[in-house]
Amino acid sequence: MRTAGQVRGALTSWHSPLPLLAVTLYIRVTCPPSSEPLLPLPLPPPPGSSRLRHRGRYLNMGNLLKVLTCTDLEQGPNFFLDFENAQPTESEKEIYNQVNVVLKDAEGILEDLQSYRGAGHEIREAIQHPADEKLQEKAWGAVVPLVGKLKKFYEFSQRLEAALRGLLGALTSTPYSPTQHLEREQALAKQFAEILHFTLRFDELKMTNPAIQNDFSYYRRTLSRMRINNVPAEGENEVNNELANRMSLFYAEATPMLKTLSDATTKFVSENKNLPIENTTDCLSTMASVCRVMLETPEYRSRFTNEETVSFCLRVMVGVIILYDHVHPVGAFAKTSKIDMKGCIKVLKDQPPNSVEGLLNALRYTTKHLNDETTSKQIKSMLQ
């Protein structure tokens, strides 16, 4: 028998499959240093435990059955997160209403961004004919209202940051665990998911629209030239120099909205030193696990009444993975990560390729630790 000192490692939990035995068993386990089996005889998987990853042996402890693994055993949270119909309880309403004021404008922001066509033609004409004052005025007249839109997008990112920090405060507070928070406060979890869903959609649209940076660069160059020549600038009151600098940094990012959320989460952790960082990262990893389990479990997936909920779950899962990878010290791809990356990537690859290529690319190109030496070759291969 192993000594207590030899039983250490990753914290795992097990929920009894027996209907009359509501037990959660926690045990710390690790692969023994020798190659000898931990138990003399392998036992068959217990009934109802299909969601456990059977990479070890089962231990019969009366009515308790526990799987011991030589690597972290990932088990999805045992609850359904209702992304379609969750309504706030009394205790959630204050934060929910604050966040809802921001989220009600999100769809309009995406519609404006999707319809953003830019002033490329007018700018090219003005650059090619620098002495033609009418073409200069025409280009400036086309760019100024577009910069007004870009300002609105940027200001919305600041509102979204404040909303996210409010949600993080509610979903990571003591005495409840992240899993308990997500299960008890489903309306706030839904809002958190909606912020991530919006973020990935915004960044996808921004990445495929080079006109945004071209328009803003032309605006700043022209404004600078007007100042030098003491020419009054119609749009200067709309976007002053300080705001233009901040907007320039925002739009220079490949994924500006995700960067905003990542910075906001990091700032939340640093400002709440009495709150362990694990409270925040566990909230993210639990959300990723919830999405993965709901997508890969037919019983849960059959509860979706809207076809869009699948793509919503996929996008939220990828969003929390990326956020976790930016905030956690070792990221989402290390062996010690609490996110089952292989399982998440498999869920993505099980979908029609055209529907998830953008999400796979988000994992390939917007994560922080994918190319670290600690990332397994298998995970890198799955994302090639």
Side-chain angles (χ1 to χ4, degrees):
M1 180 177 289
R2 301 284 171 195
T3 65
Q6 290 171 310
V7 182
R8 64 172 72 93
L11 183 64
T12 65
S13 68
W14 171 79
H15 295 267
S16 168
L18 304 178
L20 298 178
L21 188 61
V23 175
T24 299
L25 174 67
Y26 292 91
I27 186 168
R28 290 186 179 271
V29 295
T30 191
C31 188
S34 66
S35 59
E36 62 179 300
L38 188 63
L39 298 174
L41 290 173
L43 298 170
S49 64
S50 59
R51 282 171 51 240
L52 293 176
R53 300 185 64 185
H54 304 137
R55 295 186 296 183
R57 299 176 179 275
Y58 290 87
L59 175 63
N60 194 339
M61 298 167 59
N63 286 331
L64 300 181
L65 290 162
K66 174 65 199 170
V67 64
L68 301 181
T69 66
C70 293
T71 56
D72 287 357
L73 177 141
E74 301 90 358
Q75 179 187 4
N78 191 24
F79 66 90
F80 178 81
L81 218 171
D82 191 354
F83 284 142
E84 294 177 341
N85 304 303
Q87 295 298 316
T89 60
E90 278 302 318
S91 62
E92 294 174 85
K93 277 187 177 177
E94 183 179 355
I95 297 293
Y96 181 90
N97 290 337
Q98 292 171 9
V99 175
N100 202 47
V101 170
V102 178
L103 285 175
K104 68 182 177 62
D105 295 333
E107 200 58 39
I109 293 289
L110 291 174
E111 287 172 4
D112 284 350
L113 180 56
Q114 196 154 16
S115 63
Y116 189 101
R117 294 292 173 263
H121 174 72
E122 292 86 348
I123 290 171
R124 281 192 299 273
E125 289 290 305
I127 290 172
Q128 289 168 8
H129 305 89
D132 191 322
E133 286 301 320
K134 285 187 177 179
L135 289 178
Q136 306 305 313
E137 289 175 9
K138 186 178 179 183
W140 182 250
V143 164
V144 167
L146 291 173
V147 169
K149 278 190 175 184
L150 297 181
K151 177 191 176 188
K152 184 172 78 169
F153 300 161
Y154 171 74
E155 289 175 339
F156 185 78
S157 77
Q158 305 305 293
R159 295 172 62 202
L160 202 68
E161 175 184 349
L164 176 74
R165 291 172 69 184
L167 284 174
L168 285 174
L171 293 172
T172 60
S173 61
T174 55
Y176 301 117
S177 70
T179 300
Q180 289 170 325
H181 272 300
L182 293 176
E183 188 170 9
R184 290 166 56 95
E185 295 149 14
Q186 295 220 357
L188 297 185
K190 179 173 178 279
Q191 288 184 319
F192 183 34
E194 286 170 347
I195 287 176
L196 291 163
H197 183 255
F198 165 84
T199 296
L200 264 68
R201 285 178 67 196
F202 182 96
D203 287 346
E204 284 170 9
L205 291 170
K206 185 266 178 185
M207 279 193 287
T208 56
N209 195 339
I212 290 173
Q213 281 181 277
N214 291 340
D215 292 349
F216 196 64
S217 294
Y218 178 80
Y219 171 84
R220 298 202 72 191
R221 290 197 308 270
T222 306
L223 194 61
S224 177
R225 191 164 58 246
M226 286 177 167
R227 286 197 191 109
I228 291 170
N229 296 328
N230 292 319
V231 175
E234 174 196 341
E236 187 170 8
N237 292 333
E238 182 76 15
V239 179
N240 61 35
N241 196 48
E242 182 189 348
L243 178 58
N245 287 336
R246 284 187 274 124
M247 286 174 61
S248 184
L249 291 172
F250 177 77
Y251 288 111
E253 295 287 341
T255 52
M257 209 60 79
L258 185 64
K259 179 69 163 58
T260 298
L261 296 196
S262 175
D263 289 349
T265 307
T266 303
K267 191 174 181 182
F268 171 81
V269 170
S270 66
E271 288 180 352
N272 293 272
K273 298 188 186 303
N274 60 325
L275 198 67
I277 186 173
E278 289 79 11
N279 285 35
T280 304
T281 54
D282 284 359
C283 178
L284 301 177
S285 61
T286 303
M287 180 75 87
S289 295
V290 169
C291 292
R292 173 180 59 79
V293 169
M294 290 200 301
L295 288 163
E296 69 185 8
T297 308
E299 176 196 345
Y300 287 157
R301 194 159 172 164
S302 66
R303 297 193 205 177
F304 297 157
T305 59
N306 189 329
E307 291 180 4
E308 293 298 313
T309 305
V310 172
S311 62
F312 180 89
C313 274
L314 290 166
R315 191 172 271 111
V316 171
M317 181 180 75
V318 170
V320 286
I321 288 170
I322 296 169
L323 201 53
Y324 181 99
D325 194 55
H326 280 262
V327 173
H328 195 279
V330 298
F333 299 97
K335 288 181 180 179
T336 54
S337 166
K338 293 187 179 179
I339 297 178
D340 175 11
M341 284 306 306
K342 292 175 190 173
C344 291
I345 295 168
K346 183 180 182 302
V347 166
L348 285 168
K349 293 205 163 186
D350 284 344
Q351 314 305 314
N354 292 342
S355 67
V356 294
E357 191 57 30
L359 296 178
L360 288 168
N361 282 337
L363 290 178
R364 291 175 185 126
Y365 306 122
T366 66
T367 47
K368 185 177 180 181
H369 295 280
L370 174 60
N371 295 316
D372 288 2
E373 290 181 3
T374 52
T375 303
S376 74
K377 291 180 181 178
Q378 185 178 359
I379 290 177
K380 288 181 181 179
S381 175
M382 290 175 79
L383 284 174
Q384 281 180 352

